[in-house]
Amino acid sequence: DGGITQSPKYLFRKEGQNVTLSCEQNLNHDAMYWYRQDPGQGLRLIYYSQIVNDFQKGDIAEGYSVSREKKESFPLTVTSAQKNPTAFYLCASKDRVGNSPLHFGNGTRLTVT
Amino acid sequence: AQSVSQHNHHVILSEAASLELGCNYSYGGTVNLFWYVQYPGQHLQLLLKYFSGDPLVKGIKGFEAEFIKSKFSFNLRKPSVQWSDTAEYFCAVNARNTDKLIFGTGTRLQVFP
């Protein structure tokens, strides 16, 4: 089955540590996205990538970094510079051809203490 | 920069009541508009979308939305809600010439039998 895999489902880290969240898709989609979901704030765009080896900042990119070395993979690193890293992180992808919708992964809940 | 506003944060209805959830966006150019739904414990999934043509679009499960360009609005409606419609609803927009998809803060709908 085609889809988006985010791992792990739950992640715990100590403050001051960088942590990388995995996102893999086998849908052959060109565009991939990272969103952060917080209660009452909806989904806020962190980074997105329209093509391999290219990505753009979203609205809340500070304290995060990404890479897009392969079409199917778009890992997100939450750095120690992110002030409030504890959140639910959603990865998504879509086909750039036509007007296709986003497909979402199951999400990773990151807790930093 | 584009943005999306959802003014209803929490809506409580009885079954068979009619539903209208507001969505306004700010962007001067041509946009694609979406409503996504997140049922408890599930992925975000597409409810309906508007790209062009008839401004009244129909989605799954009896939902519809009307694009009113002059009001920059894309309100979601359903004539008669069911208990199974209990979920969180997100409006989203992207400028036609980009892949940057921005979401609203979401509306939590609770339907009581």
Side-chain angles (χ1 to χ4, degrees):
Chain A
D1 285 341
I4 301 176
T5 302
Q6 288 187 246
S7 60
K9 189 172 182 178
Y10 299 98
L11 192 53
F12 297 89
R13 279 294 182 272
K14 295 286 187 187
E15 200 173 307
Q17 293 179 332
N18 291 353
V19 59
T20 298
L21 281 59
S22 168
C23 177
E24 304 279 330
Q25 54 100 358
N26 60 3
L27 299 165
N28 200 35
H29 287 168
D30 285 308
M32 295 187 75
Y33 301 76
W34 275 105
Y35 291 92
R36 170 179 171 145
Q37 187 174 13
D38 297 283
Q41 298 194 59
L43 278 72
R44 292 182 291 166
L45 182 63
I46 305 172
Y47 270 98
Y48 66 107
S49 168
Q50 296 170 285
I51 199 167
V52 174
N53 292 323
D54 188 39
F55 47 83
Q56 287 79 41
K57 291 182 179 180
D59 296 328
I60 56 163
E62 186 174 347
Y64 298 98
S65 66
V66 293
S67 62
R68 187 85 188 276
E69 296 175 4
K70 299 186 294 183
K71 187 175 184 178
E72 58 270 25
S73 179
F74 191 41
L76 173 75
T77 296
V78 184
T79 75
S80 56
Q82 168 49 234
K83 297 283 186 277
N84 296 297
T86 294
F88 188 60
Y89 291 88
L90 280 166
C91 181
S93 71
K94 79 178 188 74
D95 195 341
R96 295 191 72 206
V97 175
N99 294 313
S100 54
L102 284 181
H103 294 252
F104 283 90
N106 279 332
T108 292
R109 184 164 297 281
L110 172 65
T111 302
V112 177
T113 57
Chain B
Q2 64 206 69
S3 66
V4 181
S5 297
Q6 291 182 246
H7 307 295
N8 315 105
H9 299 295
H10 190 190
V11 173
I12 301 173
L13 295 172
S14 299
E15 275 194 317
S18 65
L19 170 73
E20 181 158 2
L21 301 182
C23 172
N24 289 89
Y25 68 92
S26 64
Y27 182 73
T30 307
V31 294
N32 296 327
L33 296 155
F34 307 83
W35 276 97
Y36 282 83
V37 59
Q38 188 172 32
Y39 296 104
Q42 295 188 28
H43 284 203
L44 273 150
Q45 57 185 281
L46 182 69
L47 203 52
L48 49 77
K49 60 188 177 184
Y50 171 80
F51 296 128
S52 63
D54 188 345
L56 184 62
V57 292
K58 296 195 183 297
I60 60 171
K61 304 188 181 186
F63 285 91
E64 64 178 32
E66 186 175 12
F67 171 49
I68 304 179
K69 191 174 180 180
S70 61
K71 295 184 178 180
F72 298 90
S73 71
F74 190 56
N75 292 355
L76 181 70
R77 300 194 293 247
K78 185 170 184 179
S80 175
V81 295
Q82 300 173 308
W83 175 79
S84 57
D85 293 325
T86 293
E88 192 154 17
Y89 293 81
F90 296 92
C91 183
V93 61
N94 76 278
R96 188 68 62 83
N97 60 347
T98 81
D99 286 313
K100 184 180 181 183
L101 186 64
I102 301 298
F103 283 79
T105 52
T107 297
R108 185 176 167 219
L109 172 66
Q110 281 184 289
V111 180
F112 289 96

